[in-house]
Amino acid sequence: MAGSSFQEVFSPIGIGQAVTEFVASRTYRIGVFGGKERPVEKIPSGVDRIKHETLFERTPSGWAFQDEKLPHLLSAQILGGEYVFKPFGEEKKIKEVDLHGNPKAYRTISVCCVQDALIQYISLKKLAEDLDDKFSDNSFAYRPKRSVATASRRVVRLLESGWTWVGESDIKSFFDEVNHQILRETLERKLPTEPREFIDLLESFYTARRVKARRIKRFGGLHRLPVGFPYDKISCDRTKGLPQGGALSGILANLILDDFDHFFDEEQPELRFVRYADDFLILAKCREKASQGLELARSRLAPLKLALHPKKTFVSSAYSGFQFIGHHFRARRGEEALITIRKKNLDRRYRMLEDIFETGLLRGRCPCQVRSTLFHKAVGMYSRKSPGSEPMIRSWVAFFSGINDTSQLRELDAWIRSRFRAYQRDFQRQGGELCNTCRATMGILPISYTRLYYLLKRARY
């Protein structure tokens, strides 16, 4: 797609060729270490309940539209500036629980229709081609070859270079508060060579109507909506914000904050800046400069109609420790800065694992079944893009692969081993009968988080 124009990308041929790439980008060869793998397409259907198997069909060369006229129709609508995204279906996912395991905070995820997901995929590739090289080097979210681990390493290098006063903050309700008029003006300014129809297409994405989660919940969830569900009649306008979960939301977030990033990169030589999505750090060599940096951030966000979160904005010494993107950082004199897992994230993992043991006893699950559940919760999604390609692990451990102190993981492993042995005893005391697999694997303990961490560090999986 490099160098392709808007007309080429969204021509009938361009849209048709993108189908195979789109489905491939959502296809994973799921399996266990050394076990049999199977291809799985993870493409959720939206409020129209049209599945990707209905819209596309397999061909000897990949995937194609079942209706040969559809790419021509989509191309005419997009190039004519008439394409309109269907409403997003919203679902609430638990973001945080209290000490008793009860939901404390939720995150609203927006799910689009399969056809709209394809248009998002094509638009994202086009935008990334135009914009990624122009983004700040200190912005790490929603960009290729950048991750939480790369952001963590950048923070460590800055701490070791003497930038040990840290102003940490969070943009309050960022994805819900993005102003549509300001975003439109930013798109026109940052994409001066793109036709108005492309800007209109992007605007159609972030202004798409939505079906609120409380309405969908009445049916038991998005996947249980009946075919022919009258979503247009109960959808409502999106007057501000970006659809969380949309493929385009991340790059549009980076776009609207691009001037904010470059301000600290180019105009503040006494400060250092690191941003991951709506979380950012401003590092300085004295407290006063770090405090001034936060005030500058507040004043630069005001024209965008955004604000800092008052409860998550403060200045601290790196030697006392601070938190960023789920990690805890602490500078040490004469040594490498320490990166560990934030206590809140670790406690959440303990609660989730305890729920597995408690639920297993209530439902009378064999120890081998519980061991299998523990394995899959540790490994997460183990997958390959294609046979012979490098395996990937999307898991809790992979997210924290940038830590440099494994004592928390070793303690977690010890707790799991102790808890699993107790589960085996409790299962038999309750009259549970061990299956043949349980007897054959009685001495095998659940997977080690520490071992998985080192496998990831060595890039073996």
Side-chain angles (χ1 to χ4, degrees), residues 382-394:
Y382 163 78
S383 60
R384 298 178 194 265
K385 282 293 184 183
S386 60
S389 66
E390 283 296 317
M392 298 177 296
I393 295 180
R394 295 185 177 185

Side-chain angles (χ1 to χ4, degrees), residues 6 80-81 184 188 193-202:
F6 171 69
R184 171 79 190 208
E188 292 174 346
T193 61
E194 295 296 340
R196 179 183 57 82
E197 289 79 9
F198 187 38
I199 308 299
D200 290 343
L201 178 66
L202 298 174

Side-chain angles (χ1 to χ4, degrees), residues 158-220:
L158 291 172
L159 295 178
E160 292 173 348
S161 299
W163 304 88
T164 54
W165 283 98
V166 183
E168 47 186 308
S169 190
D170 174 291
I171 302 175
K172 186 178 180 181
S173 304
F174 172 68
F175 284 94
D176 296 328
E177 294 294 329
V178 169
N179 183 277
H180 288 173
Q181 180 60 37
I182 294 174
L183 181 53
R184 171 79 190 208
E185 293 169 357
T186 305
L187 284 168
E188 292 174 346
R189 179 165 48 85
K190 296 286 186 178
L191 300 170
T193 61
E194 295 296 340
R196 179 183 57 82
E197 289 79 9
F198 187 38
I199 308 299
D200 290 343
L201 178 66
L202 298 174
E203 185 175 46
S204 174
F205 160 75
Y206 61 76
T207 59
R209 294 170 66 83
R210 59 199 183 104
V211 180
K212 292 185 177 181
R214 60 182 175 81
R215 292 185 177 273
I216 292 176
K217 189 177 180 181
R218 296 174 185 173
F219 294 89

Side-chain angles (χ1 to χ4, degrees), residues 348-379 415-416 419-420 423 427 446-447 449:
R348 193 180 301 159
R349 174 63 34 163
Y350 274 101
R351 286 196 296 270
M352 185 272 290
L353 294 172
E354 182 60 35
D355 285 343
I356 292 174
F357 289 115
E358 291 180 356
T359 303
L361 279 179
L362 287 173
R363 298 184 180 180
R365 289 177 177 165
C366 287
C368 67
Q369 293 177 307
V370 172
R371 186 194 298 109
S372 176
T373 302
L374 293 171
F375 173 85
H376 290 294
K377 288 296 182 181
V379 173
W415 179 85
I416 293 174
R419 190 67 182 82
F420 183 71
Y423 182 88
F427 177 77
I447 187 170
Y449 278 76

Side-chain angles (χ1 to χ4, degrees), residues 136 138-141 151 155 158 165-174 254 257 260-261 263-265 271-283 289-302 304 306-310 312-316 322-326 329:
S136 166
N138 295 314
S139 168
F140 290 89
V155 172
L158 291 172
W165 283 98
V166 183
E168 47 186 308
S169 190
D170 174 291
I171 302 175
K172 186 178 180 181
S173 304
F174 172 68
N254 283 339
L257 292 174
F260 176 73
D261 298 340
F263 169 75
F264 285 99
D265 292 348
L271 300 173
R272 293 294 181 269
F273 179 78
V274 180
R275 181 176 66 81
Y276 191 93
D278 55 350
D279 294 331
F280 64 88
L281 299 177
I282 296 175
L283 298 98
K289 290 294 182 182
S291 298
Q292 291 173 14
L294 289 177
E295 290 304 316
L296 286 171
R298 183 176 282 108
S299 64
R300 298 294 295 189
L301 290 172
L304 300 176
L306 298 170
L308 301 184
H309 198 299
K312 298 180 180 180
T313 302
F314 41 83
V315 176
S316 60
F322 62 94
Q323 297 176 359
F324 181 55
I325 48 178
F329 297 81

Side-chain angles (χ1 to χ4, degrees), residues 1-4 122-139 141-144 146 183-194 198-199 202 206 247-259 261-262 275:
M1 187 178 287
S4 302
I122 301 172
S123 301
L124 176 61
K125 290 194 70 177
K126 174 65 177 162
L127 274 179
E129 169 197 322
D130 294 339
L131 295 174
D132 194 69
D133 290 342
K134 300 175 183 177
F135 285 149
S136 166
D137 189 47
N138 295 314
S139 168
Y142 316 115
R143 299 179 64 185
R146 289 170 178 257
L183 181 53
R184 171 79 190 208
E185 293 169 357
T186 305
L187 284 168
E188 292 174 346
R189 179 165 48 85
K190 296 286 186 178
L191 300 170
T193 61
E194 295 296 340
F198 187 38
I199 308 299
L202 298 174
Y206 61 76
L248 283 169
S249 296
I251 197 166
L252 292 178
N254 283 339
L255 183 70
I256 200 168
L257 292 174
D258 188 46
D259 291 339
D261 298 340
H262 282 292
R275 181 176 66 81

